């Protein structure tokens, strides 16, 4: 189909504020209303009683198929607030949902602005609820844009940009003081949890008509990692450096306007927060003892990340 038809037939409840309509005067959303959060939480009772779940929840909970992404998910509402519900896939043999929930918990403890999350267990499957930051308290749309769009790259270039390109675009759009240090902190945290899926679509900014502000962090998902060598999805300097390593990141601190002492302090804080809050984070993510053994020292604070930094 042509581009106009694609835009006019795509879903209305998209990320950010923009939608496409055939009329300049009448707004007609093309999505069914999001399922209520109460339906998710009472899904077991509904199924046991022979009732019907909404189409989106039935697919995500019972079939494990995806709606709008690589993993099973659905949009839910609780009053005016909306949530992205991320579900365990039927073929998961890695605690994806619990690991992401634990990561969001640790990021908040590290002082990173993150989307509010919690974990529920429904029909024996873990569900991560992430509150949408692109919707206001009354359900209004918030102007949000991905880092991919801000850097002017197309879909095929999502992994060819860099954190520095994103920072440049934020600065051009009058991002507040401290943005560079916050972005440096997020890079370091992604390294510390082995999130190698940190491409430009997994970063965003909010626009208030005057300035661009980093959105709350989201999609902080540890990836499979068997050894001590790993790479980030996008580079953190202007020469293509992607190695998952604190010492390497520290060496390019000048690009983020940080002194060695300030940058080292950020890295030490992240390392300490993850180490000291691991048990609480695992409980938040409802990780089992086996999950914790699988993740600790492999995804979380892998020795390769710390090699060459602070005496390691």
């Amino acid at each position: 189909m042509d581009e106009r038809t694609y835009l006019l037939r795509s879903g209305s409840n998209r990320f950010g504020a923009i939608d496409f309509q055939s009329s300049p005067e009448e707004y007609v959303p093309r999505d069914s209303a999001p399922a209520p959060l109460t339906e998710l939480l009472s899904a077991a009772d509904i199924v046991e009683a022979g009732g019907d779940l909404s189409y989106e929840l039935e697919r995500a909970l019972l079939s494990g198929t995806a709606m709008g992404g690589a993993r099973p998910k659905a949009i839910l509402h609780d009053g005016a607030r909306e949530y992205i519900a991320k579900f365990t896939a039927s073929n998961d043999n890695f605690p994806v949902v619990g690991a992401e929930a634990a990561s969001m918990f640790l990021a908040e403890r590290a002082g990173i602005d993150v989307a509010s999350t919690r974990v529920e267990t429904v029909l024996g499957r873990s569900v991560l609820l992430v509150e949408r930051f692109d919707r206001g308290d009354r359900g209004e749309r918030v102007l949000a844009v991905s880092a991919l769009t801000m850097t002017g790259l197309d879909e095929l270039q999502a992994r060819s940009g860099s954190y520095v390109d994103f920072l440049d675009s934020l600065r051009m759009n009058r991002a507040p003081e401290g943005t560079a240090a916050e972005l440096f902190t997020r890079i370091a945290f992604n390294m510390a949890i082995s999130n190698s899926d940190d491409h430009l679509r997994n970063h965003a900014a909010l626009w208030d008509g005057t300035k661009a502000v980093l959105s709350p962090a989201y999609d902080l998902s540890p990836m499979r990692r068997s050894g001590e060598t790993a790479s980030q999805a996008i580079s953190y300097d202007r020469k293509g450096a992607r190695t998952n390593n604190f010492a390497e990141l520290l060496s390019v601190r000048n690009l983020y306007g940080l002194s060695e002492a300030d940058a080292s302090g950020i890295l030490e804080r992240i390392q300490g927060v993850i180490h000291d809050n691991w048990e609480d984070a695992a409980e938040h993510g409802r990780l089992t003892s086996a999950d914790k053994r699988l993740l600790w020292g492999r995804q979380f604070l892998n020795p390769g990340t710390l090699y060459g930094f602070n005496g390691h």
Side-chain angles (χ1 to χ4, degrees), residues 6 42 44 67 78 142 165 167 179 204 212 215 217-218 222 226 252 272 303 307:
Y6 173 78
S42 61
M67 179 180 177
D78 183 17
V142 176
D165 293 336
L167 180 58
T179 296
S215 75
Y218 59 98
S226 57
V252 300
Y307 181 74

Side-chain angles (χ1 to χ4, degrees), residues 103-104 107 112 163 182-199 202-203 217-223 225 230-234 236 243-246 249 267 270 274 298-302 305:
S103 297
M104 297 287 277
I112 297 172
Y163 282 102
E182 170 72 6
L183 191 58
F184 182 91
T185 303
R186 296 188 187 194
I187 301 168
F189 187 82
N190 279 328
M191 288 183 177
I193 65 168
S194 300
N195 177 17
S196 56
D197 194 38
D198 54 333
H199 55 78
N202 282 342
H203 301 276
Y218 59 98
D219 280 351
L220 301 179
S221 302
M223 298 286 106
R225 180 175 180 174
S231 298
Q232 302 310 118
I234 54 177
Y236 45 82
T243 304
N244 181 313
N245 179 262
F246 274 9
L249 178 60
L267 299 175
I270 289 173
I274 293 176
R298 185 176 287 113
Q299 275 71 29
F300 292 85
L301 297 184
N302 186 291
T305 301

